[in-house]
Amino acid sequence: MKFLRIVILSVFWFGYVNGQIKLPIDAVYQRAYLQKTRDTSGKPGVNYWQNHSDYSIKVKFNPATRLLSGHVNITYTNNSSDTLKEVWFKLYPNLYKKGTPRKSKIAEADLGKGVAIQNFTVNDKVVSAYQITGTNMTVKVPALFPNKKLTFSIDYSYTLNKGSHIRTGQVDDGAYFIAYFFPRIAVYDDVDGWNKYPYNGAEEFYNDFDNFKSEITVPKNFSIWATGDLVNAQEVYQPQIVTKMKLAARVDTVVNVINEDELKNHLVTTQKDVNTFKFEAKNVTDFVFALSDHYLWKSTSLAVDSVTKRRTRVDAAFNPAHKDFYEVIDFARKTVHAMSYVFPKWPFPYQHETIFDGLDQMEYPMMVNDNPLQNRTDAITLTDHEIFHTMFPFYMGTNETKYGWMDEGWATIGEWTISPLIDSTIVDEYGIQPTASSSGSKNDTPIMTLTPDLVGGAAFTNTYPKPGLAYLFIKDYLGETKFNFALHNYINNWHGKHPMPYDFFNSINTGAGENLNWFWKRWFFYGGVTDIAITAVDKTSDGYTITIENKSLKPLPVDLTLRYENGEEQKLHYSIAVWKNDEQKTIATVKTTELLKKVVLGSAHVPDKDKSDNSFSVK
């Protein structure tokens, strides 16, 4: 268990500046503003910087033994104003090393020796003074001055996990999803310095934007899908496979790049003993790959930018026994289209996206590792949720380890928004009821509580539905056009960089042209029950007045269904604007000559803990 650092609201200053609400702010962010690495407008400051690495990776993977042997060269550039005398690395496979502290459950049979370092040099000089603690590794280095570089070379190996599949590992006999497989340099940023949080299997990741050149050697008949571009397709695939890959990148229809006959007759890869697949990826936060000797491959593409006509290829690689995956290519294509043209209405930023049939529900740059599902709705929501992560955290390099809500909240509203576009019968209420029922409980902490400190149900609600609802309510309040402008301001400011929570709040405020801190403060910095009620329905001379009470601190939309004696029904909707000035009650005025029979409060995306007061019969 890590050092506990719960957000204590009383240590912060709530107040008004020039008539505007001021958000509570920690000292590390105040320092960033003083140093001008970040700006209160939401933009990166004039002194903003981030460090960078160029990775050259060569690995051999033996599916029979699951042994991965690798060599990595890293050129690390220190763009900070600090002189670094040590460098922190992440050894994520050590999650499966005996003795490593972890939150995720791993079977005893899956625990091993972790990453073995055979050779380690810094600027071509052998070093042995490195320390491995769990998934972190530190090494003393010659003073790395600002704007200077260091070169690291590491030979290493480890055995990929067969069971206890946590985001990576063997899928079946002949399929493997391999992530976090190389020693990588941790983020050093202007807020916290080195990212020293160890990986424990629960919280997710925080990585720099780096360049990767990777060579992956596997036995014949194994195809590989990975982050980045395959640059030697003609060397590893047979001619008809290459032809179909190129076709899929040009057409809107689905191409069966690998079919069952080709698998059966070994007509997929070049029939050498081993093949080396070469990939290149630039300015991405991670590199992963997956392989199989028996997966089908369906592929299609679409124009994601109406101006440049740039196309993105969408792939589905899957076990033919998993029937739900035959439709996944369609779900994925529609998700990429919706992201580009509907929400967030931003051209899909990468050249391809692969959905791989694995054992998890996890996202990576240009890759998704999704388990097969029996329920079609679940398959749709899982597919669009994971692909939506392409924007957050991969295009926007958020710190998932500390602020999981900065990416999962967006994937959640993306799921709510896009799923009905794929299937109009879907009403996705993912996380709404848990948010309502757990609100006000002992584990109901503010969204701004650091992710490693979350306990109980809050680890889910604070990360997924609560921020998703906040984004949804602000979208409703601002209206689609204004909201998109504000969101695009945030994306323009921070894509390819490392935004923190205040950069988001301030970017949206600036883009919206109004101070929304009245909402951010109540939704992100307070806990407490979410409850709304009808307290009265009164007849007036020309209709009715309906009194609604918000029993919580959080602004909630008001959705009313009015049922009349004549059988007619009327819907009324009020955005969170009705609570902007801290009112606890709002009144809806209905002008009608018809007799009102019943009023019902609520909708699918309003978390209401006590619904017993949501219905009012008019006498």
Side-chain angles (χ1 to χ4, degrees), residues 543-544 546 561-572 590-599:
Y544 296 88
I546 305 166
T561 301
L562 281 61
R563 294 171 185 162
Y564 292 93
E565 292 283 359
N566 63 3
E568 292 182 356
E569 193 170 276
Q570 182 182 2
K571 300 281 188 180
L572 297 178
V590 182
K591 292 186 177 182
T592 179
T593 58
E594 299 294 335
L595 292 176
L596 188 58
K597 181 179 180 181
K598 191 174 186 178
V599 181

Side-chain angles (χ1 to χ4, degrees), residues 284-351:
V284 293
T285 59
D286 206 354
F287 182 92
V288 303
F289 69 96
L291 65 153
S292 175
D293 63 357
H294 62 283
Y295 272 23
L296 301 177
W297 180 0
K298 290 182 178 289
S299 185
T300 184
S301 64
L302 67 155
V304 296
D305 191 322
S306 59
V307 176
T308 66
K309 309 302 181 184
R310 177 175 61 83
R311 297 182 74 86
T312 287
R313 195 185 79 231
V314 181
D315 301 321
F318 60 97
N319 188 328
H322 297 155
K323 301 306 179 184
D324 64 307
F325 259 89
Y326 285 84
E327 271 196 289
V328 162
I329 188 69
D330 179 55
F331 305 156
R333 189 182 195 279
K334 288 178 178 176
T335 298
V336 172
H337 182 274
M339 289 176 63
S340 301
Y341 298 106
V342 182
F343 181 74
K345 209 170 184 177
W346 187 276
F348 195 82
Y350 299 116
Q351 58 269 37

Side-chain angles (χ1 to χ4, degrees), residues 10-30:
S10 61
V11 305
F12 295 120
W13 177 49
F14 287 88
Y16 292 79
V17 175
N18 297 326
Q20 299 287 355
I21 295 174
K22 180 179 174 64
L23 294 178
I25 184 167
D26 211 340
V28 292
Y29 295 106
Q30 292 174 338

